[in-house]
């Protein structure tokens, strides 16, 4: 108590995190990431904003989008990946050409420009991965949920279709708002 009121003592900071050293390369890497300024967490406003975002694609969200749920579309991410943000499809057309589809999660549908979620995502820049730990760019309700192209669930996407001839030349391209149902990883 005497030190608390001592005019010679100056408060210069506060403890925001305590690391217990585990003598492991993982703990060392994590400590260095935080020391270097890796952004973490989400604002209270962002977390409140999550309440207005559904866990499943709603019928109204599918309006003005092409239904691709019958196509063979799959992720090329690893089996342990939680935030699947892209899928592909490949078909051979009647004319012998190939139609490659690249289907990207339509995150912008749920994370509107200028919102708190958008500002937090911009502040973070990307997700940070450490063996067994991820500091996601978006809250897990989005990154592993409604914005992740998980198997056997409908998700909103932007799809680009590129038609190639047998020589590998691009014949046509088309970008469309869509919704898909990934078949497998």
């Amino acid at each position: 108590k005497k030190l608390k009121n001592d005019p010679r003592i100056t408060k210069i900071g506060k403890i925001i995190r305590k690391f217990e050293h585990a003598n492991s390369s993982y703990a060392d890497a994590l400590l260095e990431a935080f020391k270097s300024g890796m952004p973490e967490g989400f604002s209270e406003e962002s977390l409140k904003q999550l309440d207005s975002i559904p866990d499943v694609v709603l019928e109204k969200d599918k309006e003005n989008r092409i239904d691709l749920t019958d196509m063979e579309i799959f992720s090329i991410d690893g089996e342990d990946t939680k935030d699947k943000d892209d899928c592909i499809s490949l078909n051979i057309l009647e004319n012998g050409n190939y139609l490659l589809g690249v289907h990207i999660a339509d995150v912008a549908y749920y994370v509107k420009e200028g919102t708190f979620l958008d500002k937090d995502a911009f502040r973070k820049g990307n997700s940070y991965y450490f063996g067994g730990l991820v500091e996601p760019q978006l809250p897990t309700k989005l990154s592993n949920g409604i914005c992740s192209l998980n198997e056997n669930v409908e998700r909103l996407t932007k799809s680009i279709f590129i038609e190639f001839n047998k020589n590998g030349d691009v014949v046509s391209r088309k970008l469309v708002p869509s919704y898909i149902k990934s078949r497998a990883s």
Side-chain angles (χ1 to χ4, degrees), residues 75-94:
S75 171
I76 57 173
D77 289 311
E79 288 183 28
D80 59 341
T81 303
K82 305 271 189 281
D83 54 348
K84 299 176 181 180
D85 55 5
D86 51 9
C87 287
I88 62 171
S89 59
L90 183 65
N91 294 4
I92 299 175
L93 302 173
E94 287 181 14

Side-chain angles (χ1 to χ4, degrees), residues 53-177:
I53 298 175
D55 293 323
V56 296
V57 174
L58 304 176
E59 287 301 314
K60 69 179 183 76
D61 300 333
K62 297 188 276 185
E63 292 174 5
N64 301 313
R65 291 179 178 268
I66 295 175
D67 180 354
L68 303 176
T69 56
D70 288 337
M71 287 186 70
E72 285 294 322
I73 295 174
F74 54 94
S75 171
I76 57 173
D77 289 311
E79 288 183 28
D80 59 341
T81 303
K82 305 271 189 281
D83 54 348
K84 299 176 181 180
D85 55 5
D86 51 9
C87 287
I88 62 171
S89 59
L90 183 65
N91 294 4
I92 299 175
L93 302 173
E94 287 181 14
N95 63 7
N97 288 348
Y98 300 94
L99 185 63
L100 172 67
V102 179
H103 314 276
I104 307 296
D106 191 356
V107 176
Y109 185 82
Y110 298 104
V111 180
K112 304 293 186 201
E113 188 174 350
T115 62
F116 292 107
L117 281 169
D118 180 52
K119 290 174 185 175
D120 275 352
F122 184 81
R123 174 180 56 86
K124 288 184 160 205
N126 57 266
S127 295
Y128 298 85
Y129 297 91
F130 302 91
L133 173 81
V134 63
E135 178 60 36
Q137 183 178 19
L138 295 169
T140 55
K141 177 178 180 175
L142 300 176
S143 63
N144 295 10
I146 193 71
C147 294
S148 186
L149 305 180
N150 299 323
E151 194 173 323
N152 296 317
V153 292
E154 289 184 346
R155 293 294 188 244
L156 302 182
T157 49
K158 297 284 185 164
S159 297
I160 185 162
F161 290 99
I162 307 166
E163 182 178 346
F164 296 92
N165 63 23
K166 291 180 180 183
N167 296 324
D169 301 318
V170 174
V171 175
S172 67
R173 312 176 258 276
K174 184 177 181 180
L175 177 66
V176 297

